[in-house]
Amino acid sequence: QNAFSYKKRDNSYSSTSKSLCSSYFVEPLDWILEGEKQNDKEEGELDGKIKCPKCNAKLGNYNWAGMQCSCGTWITPSFAIHREKVDE
């Protein structure tokens, strides 16, 4: 753990928002996985972009191996939709 401590985020910074999390983490949804098949992604790829099924705008990222939230929590697998890209 010490070898990778430089990559870890901590709560030492201040945030003006109510929550430190900058993304919503969702379950792997059918439209996310179908969108990647249409974008000629090879089967078995571990990460990619989550795009809107209607307008194709980038909404977030996914990573089957997991990623770290802005609050410092690791989510595995992670399907992160950025808060600023969607309405609550």
Side-chain angles (χ1 to χ4, degrees), residues 17-84:
S17 66
K18 293 179 186 175
S19 173
L20 293 175
C21 299
S22 62
S23 299
Y24 296 111
F25 288 90
V26 297
E27 297 292 321
L29 303 170
D30 290 336
W31 63 268
I32 295 172
L33 302 175
E34 288 297 320
E36 286 303 308
K37 288 179 185 174
Q38 293 173 0
N39 290 336
D40 297 329
K41 295 283 277 188
E42 288 191 32
E43 193 166 327
E45 288 201 30
L46 293 178
D47 60 351
K49 297 176 183 171
I50 298 174
K51 294 186 177 181
C52 175
K54 292 185 179 181
C55 68
N56 212 28
K58 182 182 172 190
L59 300 176
N61 301 315
Y62 72 89
N63 191 323
W64 286 100
M67 72 174 87
Q68 192 173 23
C69 178
S70 61
C71 72
T73 304
W74 277 94
I75 312 293
T76 306
S78 63
F79 289 81
I81 297 178
H82 303 299
R83 284 182 181 259
E84 70 264 4

Side-chain angles (χ1 to χ4, degrees), residues 8-13 20 68 70-72:
K8 291 186 179 184
R9 296 182 180 132
D10 61 15
N11 294 334
S12 63
Y13 61 90
L20 293 175
Q68 192 173 23
S70 61
C71 72

